[in-house]
Amino acid sequence: MGEYKIPGQLQEFVTDNTIVVRSPGRINLIGEHTDYNEGFVLPAAIDKAVYVTIEKIEGAKLYLHSIDFNESAEVELADIKPVFGHWSTYILGVVDQFLQKGQTVPGFKLGIYGNVPLGAGLSSSAAIECAVAFALNELLQSGFSRKELALIAQAAEHKYAGVKCGIMDQFASLFGKKDHVIRLDCRSLEYEYFPLELGEYEIVLFDTMVKHTLASSEYNIRRSQCEEGVMLIGQNYPSVHSLRDATVEMVNECIGEFETAHRRCKFVVEENIRLQEGCTDLLNGNVEAFGKKMFATHEGLSKEYEVSCKELDYLVSYVKNNPDVIGARMMGGGFGGCTINIIQKDAVEGLVSKLTEAYAQNMGRELKYYLVSIEDGTTIIKS
Ligand code: GLA
């Protein structure tokens, strides 16, 4: 701690009484769409983060200011409700959760600034929710644990953003650890840190620059398709309460005739297996074997779970036969955002320049890329 600084953009909001919190975005190495199926995920917090300043004031009003949108919002505490599509909704959603939990929330001034690219699949919304939850917890001395804060942040996303997300993003933002990935059991919320040692390789994200407009509606549909599958399997196997408990054989036997639900559920069950085996690969230092599983995950997300898009597919297929790229796949909810790639360090520069040109030519868009480092989760940088 101590190494994270208050960004210059927020300095004007900081007085002696201001609390400043930093909460990062996340990547996920493998285990996609498994979290809300009570499976496993393997995320890590990154060096792109959201920063929040908060200070108590007299009265029962919230004064919110977003540096990124250069916009202010004033809200009466008694009048808090979702403002779907607006940056303030993520903040208000968290305040609402604190109120629902019986906390007395005073008026406050809050400033927010972030450098997590929006809509890129790096969980900027979870970073906002976690930063605000952590800041309020400190301001009110509520004493919620990090786990409780993750659940508060997730509930805010459900109710104030309308996305029935799993727990991965909020958990990763709050629990990240420098240079480690988190193997999280999304059923018990037990977790384990693994050092991420990639040797001669590094992680590079390619941003399609496609904003995922379909993401929230299709996301909720995928979730209910999985629930439908569980219901069907449960008729024959009452001990199955989520896809976590199911095997591929059960999926084939019980959902075989429901084509769409079958494809969705099969993907999730196989993705959980890939993740478990992938963790063994990483522990054995077999990054190449791990990389192959990332390509398999992409194939499944694209063909079976159907949450990819032509730009994501293009980026993955472009690198697929390149010996310097040992793994690549789309990351996060889908329908846009980034691919995550494991690339030989010396080859990154050359690949980026070729791919940028090819992407512009074939997809008609500018490609962005990010070299990310793995950082600590939510921290107070000034109290
Ligand atoms: C989004 C959600 C997460 C998770 C991923 C897919 O990022 O917020 O909970 O479901 O999609 O793995």
Side-chain angles (χ1 to χ4, degrees):
M1 240 167 266
E3 60 179 297
Y4 300 112
K5 306 243 158 17
I6 303 176
Q9 289 86 341
L10 278 176
Q11 281 297 352
E12 60 175 301
F13 291 88
V14 181
T15 68
D16 285 351
N17 303 322
T18 318
I19 295 167
V20 186
V21 171
R22 163 195 164 278
S23 203
R26 63 102 189 90
I27 53 171
N28 182 29
L29 286 197
I30 201 159
E32 217 66 87
H33 290 276
T34 44
D35 60 353
Y36 53 86
N37 288 301
E38 298 192 343
F40 294 87
V41 289
L42 201 65
I46 58 173
D47 55 333
K48 299 186 182 302
V50 166
Y51 298 81
V52 156
T53 60
I54 195 166
E55 189 179 334
K56 245 183 233 181
I57 52 169
E58 291 295 317
K61 236 182 176 179
L62 311 181
Y63 293 87
L64 315 176
H65 184 79
S66 160
I67 300 278
D68 306 283
F69 290 94
N70 190 23
E71 205 181 282
S72 299
E74 284 182 27
V75 187
E76 294 284 348
L77 265 166
D79 196 24
I80 285 189
K81 55 180 173 314
V83 194
F84 293 110
H86 193 257
W87 55 269
S88 64
T89 208
Y90 305 101
I91 300 167
L92 298 174
V94 172
V95 176
D96 186 44
Q97 283 302 306
F98 271 70
L99 292 170
Q100 305 238 346
K101 292 196 175 293
Q103 299 292 306
T104 308
V105 179
F108 63 74
K109 238 170 40 182
L110 181 148
I112 186 161
Y113 161 76
N115 56 16
V116 187
L118 301 180
L122 301 179
S123 297
S124 52
S125 61
I128 299 175
E129 291 147 4
C130 293
V132 173
F134 210 86
L136 271 181
N137 197 38
E138 181 70 14
L139 185 76
L140 310 181
Q141 292 293 300
S142 305
F144 291 123
S145 67
R146 279 184 192 252
K147 259 183 206 171
E148 287 168 322
L149 293 174
L151 293 166
I152 285 174
Q154 181 195 25
E157 179 86 24
H158 285 193
K159 301 203 174 116
Y160 275 61
V163 181
K164 302 282 263 168
C165 65
I167 193 69
M168 168 168 75
D169 304 345
Q170 291 79 7
F171 202 94
S173 190
L174 279 154
F175 282 83
K177 179 172 169 173
K178 196 170 173 54
D179 298 330
H180 288 72
V181 293
I182 312 165
R183 180 180 174 279
L184 172 65
D185 177 339
C186 299
R187 171 177 277 170
S188 64
L189 296 191
E190 274 166 22
Y191 61 99
E192 211 181 321
Y193 292 113
F194 284 80
L196 187 64
E197 283 153 7
L198 294 178
E200 59 192 295
Y201 299 103
E202 68 181 325
I203 292 178
V204 183
L205 308 179
F206 291 126
D207 190 343
T208 57
M209 300 298 282
V210 176
K211 303 290 171 217
H212 39 13
T213 43
L214 266 178
S216 46
S217 55
E218 287 294 322
Y219 186 95
N220 292 345
I221 293 174
R222 293 299 175 281
R223 189 170 177 148
S224 55
Q225 287 166 335
C226 292
E227 283 161 7
E228 224 174 273
V230 171
M231 208 187 65
L232 291 167
I233 300 172
Q235 289 171 357
N236 289 6
Y237 299 93
S239 63
V240 172
H241 299 294
S242 70
L243 288 179
R244 158 74 169 275
D245 304 317
T247 61
V248 176
E249 290 73 30
M250 290 177 187
V251 171
N252 291 341
E253 178 194 327
C254 308
I255 330 180
E257 60 199 276
F258 302 90
E259 218 246 317
T260 305
H262 178 258
R263 269 185 286 140
R264 306 290 191 252
C265 294
K266 180 169 160 288
F267 166 78
V268 171
V269 172
E270 289 178 346
E271 180 70 352
N272 262 319
I273 299 170
R274 265 193 294 272
L275 184 143
Q276 306 284 8
E277 293 177 355
C279 286
T280 312
D281 294 339
L282 286 182
L283 285 174
N284 293 336
N286 194 348
V287 190
E288 287 79 7
F290 184 84
K292 289 210 175 83
K293 296 190 171 66
M294 293 170 72
F295 282 118
T297 291
H298 184 80
E299 189 69 14
L301 286 167
S302 178
K303 305 269 160 54
E304 296 179 330
Y305 217 65
E306 294 179 287
V307 289
S308 187
C309 61
K310 68 175 191 309
E311 292 83 358
L312 286 165
D313 288 345
Y314 180 81
L315 291 177
V316 172
S317 69
Y318 188 92
V319 300
K320 193 150 189 185
N321 295 317
N322 183 332
D324 294 321
V325 183
I326 56 170
R329 65 178 194 81
M330 57 150 284
M331 189 178 72
F335 302 101
C338 291
T339 62
I340 176 170
N341 304 261
I342 302 186
I343 307 179
Q344 167 90 40
K345 284 180 188 156
D346 300 337
V348 171
E349 218 184 295
L351 174 62
V352 165
S353 92
K354 277 198 198 131
L355 183 53
T356 303
E357 206 184 308
Y359 189 65
Q361 232 163 52
N362 292 289
M363 296 289 120
R365 287 176 188 271
E366 181 203 358
L367 179 76
K368 274 206 175 160
Y369 75 101
Y370 317 109
L371 305 175
V372 289
S373 65
I374 296 186
E375 296 294 330
D376 286 331
T378 317
T379 45
I380 293 188
I381 44 182
K382 179 189 171 302
S383 57

